Amino acid sequence: MKKKHKALRVILIITAVIVVLLLAIYINHRIRLNNESELRAPLGKIVEVDGHNMSVYTEGEGETTLVFMSGGGTCSPILDFKSLYSLLSDKYKIAVVEKFGYGFSDVVDKSRDIDSILEDTRAALNAAGLTAPYVLCPHSMSGIEALYWAQKYPDEVSAIIGLDMAVPQSYDNMSISVPLLKFAGWAANFGITRLIPGISESDAIKYGTLSDKEKEIYKAVFYNRTLTSTMTNETKSVKENAQKVNDGGIPQIPMLMYISDGTGTGFDKETWRKFQTEYIAQVRGGKSVELDCPHYVHDYEYETIGKGIVEFLSENDIN
């Protein structure tokens, strides 16, 4: 009996220590979020879409608008793409749409089916005063949104520049653990991510051209927009979304794909590259460029990609 009481006491002590530790982590996180509030001042326009706030960043005065579309879970799209679009804004108008749950946009609980995501993006661009046609520059998961856009509103898309973009086949056999995503989102919201050294050091920070101030802003956004509930809902819907895009056929428009070595995608190089090369082979006049770098190609090979975009659009009389 004494042994049982002793064991129970040990369990209670351990539980109390864990609760106190978690409470301390959470309080620290909330205090630091408050201290970082000035760093999270929106970098672009805040527009209203479906009763919520969405962030749209623009720069440049060109006649052609390049719309940069972030991959799933990229906490700060505006800063993530900056190393690339800063090389292009002297020739084109640049737009970066931060979907709900990302960057400076609201975290919302709404459907993340492909139609809802696309209509939010179109509404945000319209509210920011931008008009189609656009050159879409999607990274990773947003590749399926860009393809669907070209399927549903072909007059609004003059070209697609894939930045290691996903195609529908990318999701055929992908395993997605929603419970794990939710747990990771809870841990981030609780502040546990602050205990992991280097976790906020994104590829944009390590390999891009961000200033020291921009790096600090990126980190502040990271701790406020990591695996949000909206991002999780989007991931839950991605396989169904990809299937809908697959059923819609392959858009026959100017298309250029920059393809990584697969690092960071969950696939080996050969498999990842095969998805995109087989897809682009079915696009009349489509081109692809294989790069020896990880998934966030625009944070590594921004100069190569920047020059290539200008050349490709010029070849297709898109200026």
Side-chain angles (χ1 to χ4, degrees):
M1 196 71 176
K2 288 184 178 180
K3 288 184 178 180
K4 288 185 179 180
H5 283 300
K6 187 175 182 180
L8 180 60
R9 184 179 179 186
V10 170
I11 291 172
L12 290 173
I13 291 173
I14 292 174
T15 301
V17 170
I18 292 173
V19 170
V20 170
L21 180 60
L22 287 175
L23 184 60
I25 291 171
Y26 180 72
I27 292 173
N28 172 67
H29 180 52
R30 302 314 300 182
I31 291 173
R32 294 181 70 172
L33 283 177
N34 184 63
N35 292 340
E36 294 161 354
S37 60
E38 290 187 7
L39 289 171
R40 296 196 307 275
L43 295 173
K45 297 180 181 178
I46 298 298
V47 300
E48 183 177 324
V49 174
D50 196 23
H52 303 284
N53 292 326
M54 278 186 75
S55 164
V56 181
Y57 175 83
T58 62
E59 73 173 52
E61 299 297 333
E63 294 183 6
T64 298
T65 301
L66 275 55
V67 179
F68 287 82
M69 306 162 69
S70 69
T74 300
C75 66
S76 181
I78 291 172
L79 293 176
D80 181 62
F81 286 120
K82 186 174 177 60
S83 297
L84 175 56
Y85 68 65
S86 63
L87 301 177
L88 298 165
S89 58
D90 62 336
K91 187 173 180 64
Y92 309 102
K93 179 177 284 294
I94 303 300
V96 183
V97 178
E98 296 191 313
K99 293 178 287 188
F100 286 126
Y102 292 71
F104 301 102
S105 296
D106 287 349
V107 175
V108 300
D109 182 17
K110 62 178 295 190
S111 174
R112 293 292 78 192
D113 66 89
I114 192 71
D115 285 281
S116 292
I117 295 173
L118 175 55
E119 296 311 321
D120 287 344
T121 299
R122 294 176 67 243
L125 289 169
N126 182 64
L130 300 172
T131 56
Y134 306 115
V135 173
L136 306 182
C137 302
H139 173 240
S140 195
M141 187 187 291
S142 64
I144 61 172
E145 181 188 348
L147 294 172
Y148 189 60
W149 199 336
Q151 291 171 353
K152 191 172 182 179
Y153 303 105
D155 292 341
E156 294 185 4
V157 182
S158 53
I160 293 177
I161 309 293
L163 304 173
D164 213 28
M165 64 181 270
V167 296
Q169 290 72 27
S170 308
Y171 298 101
D172 284 349
N173 299 307
M174 181 178 286
S175 177
I176 299 173
S177 175
V178 175
L180 182 60
L181 286 173
K182 288 184 176 180
F183 175 77
W186 171 85
N189 190 54
F190 216 80
I192 293 175
T193 48
R194 290 188 185 271
L195 305 179
I196 304 174
I199 193 172
S200 63
E201 297 285 328
S202 68
D203 287 351
I205 289 175
K206 291 188 288 186
Y207 305 107
T209 59
L210 299 181
S211 67
D212 289 342
K213 180 63 178 293
E214 288 167 339
K215 291 177 182 179
E216 290 304 307
I217 294 173
Y218 198 117
K219 292 177 183 179
V221 175
F222 170 83
Y223 288 118
N224 195 49
R225 286 290 185 270
T226 297
L227 285 177
T228 63
S229 58
T230 316
M231 292 177 182
T232 298
N233 288 339
E234 183 180 23
T235 304
K236 284 168 59 179
S237 300
V238 70
K239 291 175 77 73
E240 183 178 341
N241 290 341
Q243 184 59 53
K244 186 168 186 176
V245 176
N246 187 59
D247 293 342
I250 297 177
Q252 297 301 319
I253 61 173
M255 197 177 301
L256 170 63
M257 289 185 176
Y258 285 97
I259 308 174
S260 76
D261 62 12
T263 303
T265 66
F267 295 97
D268 60 74
K269 179 195 287 189
E270 182 180 356
T271 301
W272 179 249
R273 287 185 169 176
K274 187 177 180 181
F275 290 141
Q276 295 179 71
T277 54
E278 288 188 349
Y279 192 94
I280 199 70
Q282 300 174 77
V283 178
R284 289 190 299 273
K287 293 185 176 181
S288 64
V289 178
E290 294 182 351
L291 302 170
D292 292 321
C293 68
H295 186 41
Y296 280 73
V297 293
H298 46 281
D299 291 325
Y300 292 84
E301 297 288 350
Y302 41 86
E303 291 185 355
T304 296
I305 296 172
K307 292 176 183 177
I309 289 175
V310 173
E311 291 173 3
F312 182 76
L313 295 181
S314 178
E315 290 169 2
N316 288 278
D317 295 321
I318 303 171
N319 300 304

